[in-house]
């Protein structure tokens, strides 16, 4: 161990003097996804971007002013609305139009705002803008305020209502359990009414399953700010979890979900193939998605939806940094709306990333069971408080992964002729740790006669040549900790993210191209941003690109896997690899 410590310290010094950048922070988008005039994202965490209210003036409302939202009828989740004001007397550059959900919220408990001075016509007392609204299981209203020595309410809009109200089932998604005869259906609503799933292979003879597993969480469940603060937390509603059993492997099923009051539109999915099946299937693979302004993650979702609708994909494998909410809960609502069109067709398998898990306070509330404040090794400067106080709580409630490991943090499942493992780079992975022992036992138990291929995924990268100091050091620590496990137990492919770029290695072990070793791929390109740092000319790095995209991993048959990386701005396959046995 002393040799390892010396090497890491030396490496830290060498990387510092050679000018490798540290992994940079990323802004948290506001509810509207506002951008500065230079195109950069307005950071919701920055106090300078928050309204500073003075005591409200008793005399309010300008009798000549009006504020209208259209359409005035019920809107769909994520639908764009037009906000129009007119007749404002003596408009000021301190005027703002603010969104409140619910309409009776206190004036300083808002979701987002627009400075009217950003609209060219504001000096004439009128203007308009378009924004998207998401159903938070509450009605909404806009208010026009003047913020100066006194806060004055100038006008209030009509109340915005959503289709289906609080009862409508939203955020639907599927997940695998590891049993080809099962499928899990999850969704959110504002009601604790008994959850129902109707499903079957014949639309005229659907079975009904009634669930009894509905949960929610509160701000008090979070570890720290901003996740536990009133202005950042959004009540998630009730999260329903229904398990479908006795499915026929490889069979098309139709289904809908909801309650006796309201059901979702009809959906469909394909049950998993039998374990060991040689039939062709494709998994969509990516990390670091978020909901950054269009197109970014929306483009990845568009391609994934096309693949789901066309029947070319079987499931999604998202290895960490999911929504990038970081304590601002409205982002979870928005992100689920982005993936719902394909996550209700394809099982959506997730892993934990630093922006869901890492914390420095409140560790007793961490549902993963990590001791203290979690994993903060002395040699790894990149483990901090990146979850914004969430400490894995939303992930724990919103997703249910196979139960053979530690929930969403680490688990495995077989699909066709491939054994898939998701591990957590945000928890102790060193020898003797709980996770290490589980990983070794799981890899040791792989039945290679049924699943000759082994694929492991996690968030931070074990191999990367990009010049980012903190995470390059972590990659060396990961190699020291468990690279030998991957080589010993014949892992074929290791898929990582965290870097917002794409990179593929040769089969590599101990930083040398080695036949029979795993190929490592970094695919943190789903949409959050692009890391533009340069790369070191490492002999084991065969291809890299700083761009948006996603991966396709296809089992062609029991003897061949095909990896492709698709650039999501063009849809072109920019890199690919065949693995054969």
């Amino acid at each position: 161990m002393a040799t390892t410590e010396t090497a890491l310290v030396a490496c830290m010094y060498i990387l510092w003097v050679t000018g490798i950048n540290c992994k940079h922070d990323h802004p948290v988008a506001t509810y509207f996804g506002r951008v500065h005039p230079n195109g950069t994202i307005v950071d919701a965490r920055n106090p300078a971007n928050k309204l500073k209210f003075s005591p409200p003036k008793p005399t309010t409302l300008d009798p000549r002013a009006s504020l209208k939202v259209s359409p005035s009828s019920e809107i769909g989740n994520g639908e764009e609305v037009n906000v129009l004001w007119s007749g404002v007397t003596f408009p000021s550059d301190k005027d703002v139009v603010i969104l409140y959900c619910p309409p009776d919220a206190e004036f300083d408990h808002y979701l987002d705002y627009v400075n009217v001075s950003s609209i060219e016509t504001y000096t004439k007392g009128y203007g308009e803008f378009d924004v998207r609204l998401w159903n938070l299981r509450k009605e909404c209203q806009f208010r026009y305020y003047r913020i100066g020595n006194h806060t004055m309410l100038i006008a209030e809009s009509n109340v915005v209502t959503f289709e289906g109200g609080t009862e409508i089932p939203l955020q639907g998604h599927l997940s695998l359990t590891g049993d080809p005869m099962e499928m899990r259906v999850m969704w959110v609503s504002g009601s604790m009414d008994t959850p129902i799933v109707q499903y079957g292979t014949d639309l005229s003879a659907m079975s009904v399953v009634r669930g009894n597993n509905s949960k929610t969480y509160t701000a008090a469940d979070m570890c720290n700010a901003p996740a536990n603060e009133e202005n950042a937390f959004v009540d998630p509603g009730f999260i329903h979890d229904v398990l479908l059993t006795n499915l026929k492997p490889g069979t098309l099923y139709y289904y809908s979900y909801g309650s006796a009051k309201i059901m979702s539109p009809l959906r469909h999915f394909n049950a998993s193939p039998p374990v060991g099946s040689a039939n062709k299937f494709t998994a969509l693979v990516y990390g670091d998605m978020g909901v950054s302004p269009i197109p970014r993650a929306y483009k990845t979702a568009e391609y994934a939806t096309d693949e789901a609708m066309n029947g070319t994909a079987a499931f999604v494998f998202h290895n960490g940094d999911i929504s990038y909410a970081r304590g601002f809960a409205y982002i979870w609502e928005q992100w689920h709306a982005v993936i719902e069109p394909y996550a209700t067709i394809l099982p959506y398998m997730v892993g934990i990333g630093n922006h869901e898990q890492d914390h420095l306070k409140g560790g007793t509330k961490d549902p993963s069971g990590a001791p203290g404040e979690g994993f903060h090794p002395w040699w790894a400067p990149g483990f901090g408080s990146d979850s914004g106080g969430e400490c894995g709580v939303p992930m724990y409630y919103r997703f249910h992964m196979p139960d053979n490991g530690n929930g969403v943090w680490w688990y495995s499942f077989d699909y066709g002729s491939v054994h898939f493992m998701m591990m957590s780079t945000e928890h102790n992975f060193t020898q003797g740790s709980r996770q290490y022992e589980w990983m070794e036992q799981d890899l040791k138990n792989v039945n290679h006669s049924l699943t000759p291929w082994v694929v492991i995924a996690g968030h931070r990268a074990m191999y990367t040549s990009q010049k980012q100091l903190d995470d390059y050091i972590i990659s060396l620590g990961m190699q020291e900790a468990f690279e030998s496990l991957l080589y010993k137990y014949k892992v074929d492919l290791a898929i990582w993210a965290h870097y917002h770029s794409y990179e593929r290695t040769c089969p590599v072990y101990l930083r040398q191209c080695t036949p029979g070793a795993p190929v490592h791929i970094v695919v943190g390109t789903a949409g959050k941003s692009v890391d533009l740092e340069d790369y070191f000319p490492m002999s084991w790095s065969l291809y890299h690109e700083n761009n948006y995209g996603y991966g396709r991993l296809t089992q062609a048959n029991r003897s061949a896997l095909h990896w492709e990386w698709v650039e999501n701005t063009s849809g072109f396959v920019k890199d690919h690899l065949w693995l054969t046995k």
Side-chain angles (χ1 to χ4, degrees):
M1 183 62 182
T3 302
T4 302
E5 292 179 359
T6 302
L8 284 169
V9 171
C11 179
M12 291 171 70
Y13 174 76
I14 292 170
L15 297 178
W16 176 71
V17 299
T18 54
I20 299 180
N21 293 327
C22 290
K23 193 83 167 74
H24 41 77
D25 192 18
H26 303 281
V28 174
T30 69
Y31 179 90
F32 294 148
R34 289 182 288 126
V35 295
H36 293 292
N38 64 2
T40 59
I41 297 171
V42 174
D43 194 338
R45 300 170 301 178
N46 188 341
N49 297 325
K50 298 179 181 180
L51 294 175
K52 297 174 178 62
F53 290 92
S54 55
K57 192 172 183 178
T59 55
T60 59
L61 294 176
D62 183 338
R64 300 179 183 178
S66 69
L67 182 62
K68 297 180 180 179
V69 180
S70 58
S72 57
S73 57
E74 291 183 336
I75 65 169
N77 188 35
E79 185 175 338
E80 189 172 79
V81 299
N82 175 263
V83 182
L84 171 69
W85 71 91
S86 62
V88 174
T89 306
F90 305 119
S92 165
D93 61 3
K94 295 181 174 61
D95 292 359
V96 289
V97 176
I98 309 176
L99 173 65
Y100 294 90
C101 304
D104 61 355
E106 293 294 326
F107 65 91
D108 56 348
H109 293 168
Y110 62 91
L111 273 170
D112 205 354
Y113 65 93
V114 171
N115 289 301
V116 302
S117 60
S118 66
I119 308 302
E120 186 175 354
T121 59
Y122 91 95
T123 58
K124 300 176 182 179
Y126 69 89
E128 63 181 318
F129 58 85
D130 297 327
V131 290
R132 293 183 183 274
L133 300 183
W134 287 266
N135 186 344
L136 306 183
R137 297 156 299 281
K138 300 177 178 70
E139 295 178 331
C140 298
Q141 185 183 49
F142 288 86
R143 303 178 202 164
Y144 189 120
Y145 275 107
R146 180 160 300 149
I147 299 178
N149 293 331
H150 295 281
T151 298
M152 297 180 61
L153 175 62
I154 305 299
E156 294 177 318
S157 78
N158 49 300
V159 172
V160 179
T161 59
F162 292 89
E163 295 172 356
T166 63
E167 303 282 349
I168 189 171
L170 296 172
Q171 304 178 30
H173 57 96
L174 302 165
S175 62
L176 304 170
T177 70
D179 184 340
M181 297 176 67
E182 295 179 342
M183 185 68 74
R184 191 174 299 282
V185 185
M186 297 186 72
W187 70 95
V188 168
S189 76
S191 170
M192 267 291 284
D193 288 353
T194 300
I196 295 172
V197 176
Q198 298 175 342
Y199 73 104
T201 59
D202 183 346
L203 292 174
S204 64
M206 302 281 273
S207 300
V208 176
V209 174
R210 289 175 171 80
N212 59 2
N213 187 11
S214 299
K215 299 178 180 179
T216 190
Y217 57 92
T218 68
D221 293 317
M222 303 295 192
C223 283
N224 195 26
N228 60 5
E229 294 178 336
E230 185 175 12
N231 276 6
F233 182 78
V234 172
D235 185 332
F238 296 99
I239 302 162
H240 309 291
D241 182 343
V242 176
L243 181 64
L244 308 184
T245 61
N246 297 317
L247 304 179
K248 184 178 179 181
T251 301
L252 174 67
Y253 283 84
Y254 301 97
Y255 77 107
S256 64
Y257 50 89
S259 68
K261 295 178 181 176
I262 185 170
M263 296 291 287
S264 74
L266 188 67
R267 317 284 195 184
H268 68 273
F269 67 82
N270 283 293
S272 303
V275 175
S277 169
N279 292 343
K280 181 179 178 180
F281 73 83
T282 297
L284 306 182
V285 186
Y286 53 74
D288 299 270
M289 190 174 188
V291 289
S292 290
I294 295 172
R296 297 187 180 183
Y298 291 83
K299 198 66 177 176
T300 298
E302 180 183 318
Y303 281 114
T305 300
D306 288 345
E307 300 221 29
M309 296 298 293
N310 295 336
T312 55
F315 65 92
V316 176
F317 209 35
H318 186 164
N319 57 338
D321 281 9
I322 308 298
S323 74
Y324 277 86
R326 288 167 288 173
F328 289 80
Y330 54 81
I331 293 178
W332 279 110
E333 309 283 334
Q334 296 170 340
W335 178 81
H336 273 287
V338 171
I339 69 159
E340 187 175 35
Y342 61 102
T344 48
I345 301 172
L346 309 178
Y348 204 99
M349 309 303 287
V350 296
I352 203 83
N354 55 304
H355 288 299
E356 290 81 50
Q357 182 64 38
D358 291 8
H359 56 89
L360 294 171
K361 296 180 180 179
T364 57
K365 298 180 179 180
D366 179 349
S368 72
E373 297 303 337
F375 188 48
H376 298 280
W378 70 268
W379 46 264
F383 290 84
S385 56
D386 292 344
S387 76
E390 289 186 354
C391 62
V393 171
M395 287 285 286
Y396 170 73
Y397 283 94
R398 290 175 176 273
F399 298 97
H400 190 161
M401 295 296 105
D403 294 322
N404 62 347
N406 186 25
V408 294
W409 295 279
W410 55 86
Y411 60 88
S412 67
F413 62 95
D414 296 328
Y415 199 98
S417 296
V418 184
H419 180 75
F420 289 90
M421 174 193 287
M422 183 72 77
M423 58 87 61
S424 171
T425 59
E426 310 313 301
H427 290 75
N428 194 344
F429 46 66
T430 61
Q431 190 167 355
S433 68
R434 176 186 173 197
Q435 180 174 204
Y436 182 98
E437 297 299 323
W438 176 85
M439 289 171 63
E440 181 165 33
Q441 192 62 45
D442 185 82
L443 291 171
K444 185 184 297 185
N445 290 340
V446 172
N447 184 341
H448 288 273
S449 64
L450 280 176
T451 54
W453 297 99
V454 180
V455 175
I456 184 174
H459 185 58
R460 299 175 192 259
M462 180 179 284
Y463 274 90
T464 173
S465 64
Q466 198 164 24
K467 295 180 178 179
Q468 295 186 20
L469 173 60
D470 290 359
D471 291 299
Y472 191 86
I473 294 169
I474 291 169
S475 74
L476 299 179
M478 290 171 63
Q479 292 169 32
E480 173 67 23
F482 66 94
E483 183 183 19
S484 60
L485 273 186
L486 309 190
Y487 186 68
K488 177 180 179 180
Y489 292 106
K490 304 184 185 306
V491 171
D492 299 288
L493 189 62
I495 305 173
W496 315 105
H498 194 59
Y499 287 81
H500 299 179
S501 55
Y502 174 75
E503 186 167 16
R504 175 174 59 83
T505 74
C506 62
V508 60
Y509 180 55
L510 300 178
R511 295 181 288 282
Q512 299 291 326
C513 292
T514 305
V519 171
H520 291 256
I521 290 173
V522 177
V523 64
T525 55
K528 179 54 187 172
S529 62
V530 171
D531 288 343
L532 299 177
E533 287 80 4
D534 201 359
Y535 297 79
F536 277 126
M538 300 295 190
S539 61
W540 41 260
S541 180
L542 301 185
Y543 184 89
H544 51 73
E545 182 168 336
N546 299 349
N547 209 334
Y548 297 108
Y550 65 98
R552 286 200 294 240
L553 179 62
T554 299
Q555 173 185 290
N557 51 54
R558 285 179 59 82
S559 301
L561 292 183
H562 188 206
W563 169 265
E564 301 168 286
W565 183 70
V566 182
E567 181 190 65
N568 80 0
T569 53
S570 66
F572 295 152
V573 174
K574 299 294 291 292
D575 183 47
H576 79 104
L577 168 72
W578 281 98
L579 296 173
T580 58
K581 287 186 183 289

